[in-house]
Amino acid sequence: MNAYLLKMKTQISDRQFEIIEATGKILTTSGVSGLTIKNLAKEMNFTEGAIYRHFKSKEDIIVAMIEYLAENMEERYSKVLSKDKTNEENLVNLFNDQFRYFQNNSHFVSAVFSDGFMEESIKINEAILKIMAIRMKYIKPLIEEGQKTNSFTNAISSDQMLHILMGSTRLLMYKWRANEFQFNLLLKGEEMIESVLTLIRTNNSK
């Protein structure tokens, strides 16, 4: 069992986590349309009734999966930031931490970056928005402080800069998923962040 589960505010049992992982595998190989309780039970060699003993519905499984990621993200991000680093270094470290995590846990990408889920369920949509809120909570202050110290340009607003960074990340994730996770996400992610930083840096920064 993932050690982080012991720290979660919302406790998930070993069996529930196994179901979440199997759900991610189905999403990765078969997409949203392939995720059914029947297919999930078959993947795990369970009966459908055994799945329902742990989750009331497919929707509840996806919500638990995304909420787990949200808490995991909050935990990791809080540890990545350092007062000894510049705003730019902290920004790069935040993004690299997420790319590294997704590189090793690609099934979460299939859940978070599947538009079908957002259209299908209000609860799932709210869980995904929670992840976006956590990312903005950590990224936006770094951008604003960078603008105050004249490291980042003030020619565009911090909100627009945030949209550029998060939008670029989302596009990269879609490309990675479309390419069946074949390229090195961390390497491509580092290239993407450096490209965006090149656009938003002032002449006073590196």
Side-chain angles (χ1 to χ4, degrees):
M1 175 177 153
N2 191 314
Y4 180 79
L5 291 177
L6 300 176
K7 302 178 183 179
M8 286 186 65
K9 295 177 182 177
T10 304
Q11 292 298 312
I12 294 180
S13 69
D14 288 4
R15 186 64 73 195
Q16 286 175 319
F17 191 70
E18 289 175 9
I19 293 172
I20 286 173
E21 288 190 315
T23 297
K25 182 177 180 181
I26 292 174
L27 285 174
T28 300
T29 57
S30 304
V32 176
S33 61
L35 180 60
T36 63
I37 296 297
K38 181 178 181 180
N39 288 342
L40 185 56
K42 183 178 180 181
E43 172 68 28
M44 300 189 71
N45 292 317
F46 280 7
T47 63
E48 292 182 42
I51 301 292
Y52 284 118
R53 281 198 293 272
H54 296 281
F55 291 102
K56 293 180 180 179
S57 65
K58 179 178 74 172
E59 178 187 52
D60 284 347
I61 299 174
I62 298 300
V63 169
M65 183 180 188
I66 297 173
E67 287 184 344
Y68 164 78
L69 177 60
E71 290 191 31
N72 178 284
M73 183 181 293
E74 181 90 48
E75 176 82 3
R76 286 184 291 105
Y77 278 17
S78 65
K79 293 179 179 178
V80 167
L81 294 181
S82 172
K83 294 180 180 179
D84 297 326
K85 301 291 185 181
T86 65
N87 293 306
E88 180 174 320
E89 288 171 336
N90 275 321
L91 193 63
V92 169
N93 288 340
L94 280 180
F95 277 91
N96 284 346
D97 178 81
Q98 194 59 51
F99 291 138
R100 189 177 297 108
Y101 185 82
F102 279 144
Q103 181 79 55
N104 296 322
N105 300 274
S106 60
H107 51 285
F108 284 113
V109 174
S110 300
V112 177
F113 297 95
S114 293
D115 289 336
F117 282 141
M118 297 185 75
E119 298 167 356
E120 179 180 304
S121 163
I122 293 176
K123 287 174 63 177
I124 293 174
N125 188 51
E126 289 175 345
I128 293 175
L129 290 176
K130 181 179 178 180
I131 286 181
M132 293 174 64
I134 291 172
R135 297 193 70 204
M136 290 188 286
K137 168 185 170 182
Y138 285 90
I139 296 170
K140 190 174 180 179
L142 294 175
I143 294 173
E144 292 175 336
E145 186 60 30
Q147 289 181 312
K148 288 179 182 178
T149 58
N150 203 32
S151 297
F152 298 150
T153 180
N154 283 281
I156 57 176
S157 69
S158 59
D159 283 336
Q160 289 301 321
M161 210 174 289
L162 179 66
H163 293 163
I164 291 170
L165 280 164
M166 294 184 67
S168 297
T169 302
R170 189 171 185 83
L171 177 59
L172 178 61
M173 291 299 180
Y174 275 122
K175 290 176 65 177
W176 190 47
R177 193 184 70 180
N179 282 274
E180 299 182 345
F181 312 104
Q182 292 302 306
F183 62 77
N184 187 307
L185 180 63
L186 183 57
L187 179 60
K188 292 294 185 181
E190 288 174 344
E191 292 174 354
M192 183 214 78
I193 292 301
E194 180 56 33
S195 295
V196 174
L197 288 172
T198 299
L199 296 175
I200 68 175
R201 286 189 192 114
T202 64
N203 292 331
N204 297 324
S205 55
K206 67 178 183 179

